[in-house]
Amino acid sequence: MAIMESARLARWVLMSAFALGAAPPAQAAPVAPMTDYTIESGMLGDSLLIWATQSRVQIVFGPDLVAPYKAPALRGAYTPGDALEILLRGTGIEAESIGASSWILKRPVKPPRSIAPKAVQASLEAESPVRQLGAISVYSRPLLRIAAESSMPVTTITRDEIEASGYLTLFDLLRAQPGVQVTSQPEQMGGSSGATFTTGATGAASVALRSLGAKATLLLVDGRRMTNYGLAADATGSVADIGTIPLAMVERIDILREGAATLYGADAMAGVIDISLRKDFDGGEAGFVLGTSSRGDATHRQVSATFGKRLDNGASSVFMFDLVDRDPLLGDRRDWYSLDRRNDGLRDDRSEYSFPGNRLITDATGIRSLVARDGCRIEDLDDDGVCRDDRAKATSLKAGRKSASARGYVQGSLFTGIEAYADVRLTQTRQSQQSAPTRATILIPDDRNPALSQQVQYAFWDVGPVKQSTVSSLSRIDLGIAGNHLDWNWDAGVDAELSQVEDDISGLVNRIGFEQVASLYGYRFDQRPAPREIIDLLAPVVSNEGRSQSAGVRATASRDFSVWSGRTVHINLGFESRRESVRLRPDASLVSGELLIEEPVSPFDAKRWNSALYAHLDLPLVANVNADIGLRLEHAEQHGDFAAPALGLRWTPTESILLRAGAAKGRRVPTLLEQRGLDASAFSSGYEYIEVPLSLLPCALSNTAEPTRCLLELRPQIGPALRAEHSRSMHAGMIWEPSRAFSIGIDLYQLRRDDEIGLIPLGYALQNASLFPDFLSRDAEGRLDALNIYRVNLGRTTTRGIDANLDWNIETANHGNFAFQLGVNHIGKLGMRASPASASLDRAGHADHPKWTASTSVRWMHADWAATVGLNHVGNYAYSDYADDALACPAYRQAVGKCSTPGFTLVNFNITQSRWAPWRLMFNVANVFDHMPRYYRESAGGYNPLFDDPVGRYFSIGATRSF
């Protein structure tokens, strides 16, 4: 079904093009078409690349040729030649057309003194006329990154595409990309209405590639590592928070979908997402965005401004500001969001812990049943007379958010041939969200006979929902110098980043506070709300603090060497050393275990150093064949040394075909939190009946009828030292570009991750107890009484699949230009195993891992207008944990056909116009057809935060003014 849907989607793209009178890819485009250009002022090299993208042509130039120059802004309809002339005006650089789709730039005799810095002028005037040129930049979409850097497939999202998408946040933009998984804690809460906010990176949003989790994907900003969010994501570690980066500040996003540990180090096993911020800007720009749903809620207000200045001596500066105010969205604002799924033929999963609660009654035969206490609302009573609480209605689907961000970037000449730069970024975010009240089983006087007690399943609605307020701040500074000496381009610098989070939670019932209320006041379980003084005693505010910090030094150097037959070898060398630290300070009530619903946690402090040397070589082998060879030597404190090699090959048998392949090794060292002992909150601790092999008997407590079933205590422990996880990745693909207007690319990948870190698997450890000497605990008489639970390296995940993309651009004489883009990811296998003896379970198409995801857009540009229709497709996925799961779907779900989520497509529309320059206006509709989630796991309330849009149809307008 998913394959048919994707095929229909591709056919729709192709048929739409022909319906508009488009020529097939092999036909030639007009010789000198008019193109609508939108190019901001900036460095000449960057502007030329944008010009080539919008012109759909190739351009060849040496980086030294254009380095000293700036280009003016360019807006309006021009032929490519006229537009190029405007960009080059005043530089003396000459452009020569080579056929209909290629241009080459020639070195001027002498650059004008009014444009080039004095140091550059002197260098150019003194150089020999036979001086060898440096690296040649060849730009031919989509081969830019492949030709210039490596054989790895890269997806690039430009500023132009960001604006055309209509997305308001980086979170939403990345979630729409095929094969990218993006989650945030508030949305995860919405998909698990029984959870609370006492654990997790509340307020953070993380990104993962290849279904391997956020810890296997490295996030970079301008090529620098992001520090992790101040609060831990879970008991194993933290994640970098993309919510700290306003989309208005982003210039470009590069998604490297292959293992890249050789170049980038630990955490890059599944790939890298590099977010480039805007740096070069001359003038000013200010704008606003206002958005709201078709139901009048989840309102988004945003104001941003950018100011930049370029001087004749080459110095420049940019200052940016961004303010966001977003209203929260509660579950009771959406009718479909409910734990009562009887309308879908499913079960009523509303909680039996309710207000004023249910009495637990045992009759004379020992049968136990629930009966609603007096005062239960009629709408909360089910057919059996049980009072139920629809906890989803009290849970945040979207958190309220207020953020303020500021950034400053300056660069200029420090000495002759040396430039200095400084980049400072500050962000503060206030976020508010809530979940349903604390619930507990309690004993209270019987309603009908006060002399007796009754057991009640109760939700503390008299105290109110659990509410969280998070204030997080991020501070970053990056200082560096760069230059060119002896034909080496080099860069050296230092950077530091600090993430601090203060987290206040109200509504969590405290065990000691409950005892105080009961002794001082007596407690009435039918007051809603309870008096303020009782609430303050019963549920005092829980305050947590966290801090994550990193600081490092770096140095890189690169050079081109001319070798045989005029071929060029490019070498890139680098060194980096980084110190990272984590500090967590949970509330005293969490440390002592006073809360009714939480296990104890403990404070945590840790730090460590990581250092690395790396080298990358782009080497021509034979005609049209190049090799990318990389090696990284990495040292991690407590985890020793590691070598990460990589090899890639590129072959262009014809001008229109590129073939590529590569293989790499990577590793991920345990996070600082993984290295500590387990808190009880990391797993379900306590006592459990467990089947024990005969060789391990006797047990201190066992079932008389089944002596091998022992009641054992599960104890969190510090286990043996953990090893690093290791990965091996391979990929192969091709790009076919028969004309400058059409290209298609296909890449196959496979990645295996070994020594995965996880909790010790009980079944495997019991069968192989000799491998885990600290696992078994016995009493003084030698009887088995407990199992010590800790983390081990045992797991393995293997994933393979296909990435495909298509770009098709159609230029018409009278109806503007049309651009079609299609990206598809297909997961062929996602095999996971917990231990060497476990079977590999394939989760592709199961357990929230759809096999197919796709994104396509159709963009029309004509004069001052641009319109984009975007489609994001998610294929169907079953609720079973893996393929061939014997418990895949209960009979009652099978009877109504609710064993999986059907594939769906969200449609977005965006239109911009710049007729009234210097104003540019925008109108956007997200989820045009108001698609509602269809997720049939009752406990989730009908919503999967990984893929579903809980807001529905959403309108936004915006305006930007340049000055």
Side-chain angles (χ1 to χ4, degrees), residues 362-579:
T362 305
D363 64 16
T365 63
I367 297 177
R368 308 176 78 181
S369 60
L370 291 173
V371 177
R373 295 183 69 220
D374 295 340
C376 181
R377 300 184 306 181
I378 295 177
E379 59 268 28
D380 293 338
L381 287 170
D382 68 8
D383 297 337
D384 298 322
V386 177
C387 189
R388 292 187 176 272
D389 184 12
D390 196 347
R391 300 176 64 82
K393 297 300 185 183
T395 304
S396 296
L397 285 169
K398 287 283 187 180
R401 184 181 182 91
K402 298 179 185 292
S403 67
S405 302
R407 176 173 176 263
Y409 176 83
V410 296
Q411 66 86 24
S413 178
L414 188 63
F415 304 108
T416 301
I418 298 179
E419 284 194 343
Y421 57 87
D423 196 346
V424 178
R425 182 161 57 94
L426 305 171
T427 297
Q428 185 176 79
T429 302
R430 296 178 179 271
Q431 194 156 277
S432 59
Q433 53 217 28
Q434 71 174 53
S435 64
T438 299
R439 48 185 173 173
T441 299
I442 55 178
L443 288 175
I444 63 173
D446 192 281
D447 292 336
R448 296 170 177 79
N449 187 352
L452 301 177
S453 295
Q454 58 179 315
Q455 188 171 330
V456 175
Q457 293 182 340
Y458 188 73
F460 284 88
W461 272 107
D462 43 354
V463 174
V466 176
K467 295 185 176 182
Q468 181 198 44
S469 176
T470 301
V471 178
S472 60
S473 61
L474 181 136
S475 307
R476 179 175 182 85
I477 184 169
D478 186 358
L479 306 175
I481 55 175
N484 182 294
H485 289 84
L486 301 177
D487 292 327
W488 283 91
N489 294 308
W490 57 268
D491 185 301
V494 298
D495 60 86
E497 187 169 332
L498 171 65
S499 173
Q500 293 180 295
V501 182
E502 296 178 358
D503 184 39
D504 291 334
I505 310 170
S506 63
L508 294 173
V509 176
N510 186 290
R511 188 177 289 108
I512 295 176
F514 184 83
E515 294 172 357
Q516 292 176 333
V517 169
S519 62
L520 293 175
Y521 302 101
Y523 194 81
R524 292 185 57 188
F525 292 89
D526 55 3
Q527 296 185 82
R528 185 174 178 176
R532 184 74 255 174
E533 62 272 15
I534 290 181
I535 293 177
D536 291 341
L537 276 175
L538 192 63
V541 173
V542 174
S543 297
N544 301 307
E545 295 182 5
R547 185 180 73 182
S548 178
Q549 189 171 9
S550 64
V553 297
R554 66 184 182 279
T556 62
S558 62
R559 183 180 174 181
D560 294 328
F561 296 90
S562 292
V563 290
W564 57 91
S565 301
R567 298 177 182 274
T568 300
V569 175
H570 179 78
I571 185 170
N572 184 26
L573 306 174
F575 163 78
E576 59 186 43
S577 184
R578 180 167 299 276
R579 179 185 184 272

Side-chain angles (χ1 to χ4, degrees), residues 349-363:
D349 204 44
R350 291 178 298 168
S351 177
E352 296 169 348
Y353 291 85
S354 57
F355 182 88
N358 294 293
R359 292 184 296 124
L360 184 62
I361 298 175
T362 305
D363 64 16

Side-chain angles (χ1 to χ4, degrees), residues 221 240 338 344 356 396 412 435 450 478 530 549 614 622 639 790 900 954:
V221 176
S338 172
D344 293 323
S396 296
S435 64
D478 186 358
Q549 189 171 9
Y614 63 89
V622 295
H639 294 280
Y790 46 84
S900 64
Y954 198 85

Side-chain angles (χ1 to χ4, degrees), residues 544-884:
N544 301 307
E545 295 182 5
R547 185 180 73 182
S548 178
Q549 189 171 9
S550 64
V553 297
R554 66 184 182 279
T556 62
S558 62
R559 183 180 174 181
D560 294 328
F561 296 90
S562 292
V563 290
W564 57 91
S565 301
R567 298 177 182 274
T568 300
V569 175
H570 179 78
I571 185 170
N572 184 26
L573 306 174
F575 163 78
E576 59 186 43
S577 184
R578 180 167 299 276
R579 179 185 184 272
E580 58 182 23
S581 63
V582 174
R583 186 184 73 181
L584 300 177
R585 291 292 180 267
D587 190 87
S589 62
L590 289 171
V591 176
S592 64
E594 297 174 13
L595 301 181
L596 290 182
I597 58 172
E598 293 295 323
E599 297 287 351
V601 297
S602 57
F604 182 66
D605 285 275
K607 59 182 179 293
R608 69 180 174 201
W609 280 91
N610 297 305
S611 301
L613 291 168
Y614 63 89
H616 175 258
L617 192 67
D618 186 347
L619 179 68
L621 299 179
V622 295
N624 301 322
V625 178
N626 277 57
D628 287 320
I629 303 172
L631 178 65
R632 184 183 185 92
L633 303 177
E634 190 168 80
H635 175 80
E637 192 173 353
Q638 302 175 9
H639 294 280
D641 301 323
F642 176 76
L647 172 64
L649 295 173
R650 307 191 312 276
W651 178 32
T652 52
T654 70
E655 292 183 354
S656 61
I657 294 178
L658 169 74
L659 302 178
R660 61 189 175 197
K665 292 177 63 176
R667 78 162 178 172
R668 182 186 74 84
V669 298
T671 66
L672 291 171
L673 281 168
E674 284 173 328
Q675 294 180 139
R676 72 169 176 170
L678 290 176
D679 282 323
S681 60
F683 67 100
S684 179
S685 59
Y687 286 85
E688 287 188 19
Y689 274 102
I690 297 173
E691 187 73 22
V692 174
L694 292 173
S695 61
L696 301 182
L697 297 178
C699 293
L701 296 172
S702 61
N703 188 316
T704 304
E706 301 175 276
T708 58
R709 284 182 56 82
C710 300
L711 184 63
L712 301 175
E713 182 184 5
L714 305 182
R715 299 172 180 168
Q717 298 289 326
I718 299 176
L722 293 172
R723 303 186 304 276
E725 298 180 342
H726 291 79
S727 68
R728 297 174 183 268
S729 63
M730 298 182 294
H731 68 272
M734 67 166 291
I735 291 177
W736 177 48
E737 193 171 22
S739 74
R740 65 188 180 90
F742 182 89
S743 72
I744 186 168
I746 299 177
D747 289 280
L748 291 78
Y749 65 87
Q750 176 171 298
L751 189 151
R752 192 183 82 184
R753 182 172 63 184
D754 291 302
D755 295 327
E756 289 182 333
I757 297 170
L759 295 180
I760 187 169
L762 295 182
Y764 180 77
L766 287 168
Q767 295 294 333
N768 300 271
S770 61
L771 301 178
F772 308 99
D774 299 323
F775 175 55
L776 304 178
S777 176
R778 299 185 182 273
D779 62 15
E781 299 178 19
R783 299 176 301 177
L784 187 65
D785 63 356
L787 301 178
N788 297 320
I789 308 300
Y790 46 84
R791 297 188 181 98
V792 292
N793 294 91
L794 286 177
R796 169 184 288 179
T797 295
T798 302
T799 179
R800 59 172 173 257
I802 300 173
D803 290 315
N805 60 79
L806 178 149
D807 287 84
W808 190 357
N809 299 275
I810 301 165
E811 299 170 347
T812 67
N814 301 313
H815 302 292
N817 299 336
F818 296 84
F820 294 80
Q821 291 184 325
L822 174 66
V824 178
N825 171 255
H826 175 256
I827 303 175
K829 178 181 179 180
L830 184 61
M832 299 180 176
R833 73 176 195 190
S835 67
S838 304
S840 180
L841 306 178
D842 189 3
R843 290 189 170 180
H846 302 264
D848 298 338
H849 297 290
K851 287 188 175 182
W852 291 93
T853 55
S855 175
T856 187
S857 67
V858 182
R859 190 178 186 197
W860 168 73
M861 296 164 285
H862 183 60
D864 300 320
W865 293 87
T868 303
V869 176
L871 292 82
N872 300 316
H873 177 76
V874 177
N876 71 301
Y877 52 96
Y879 302 142
S880 53
D881 285 339
Y882 52 89
D884 303 320

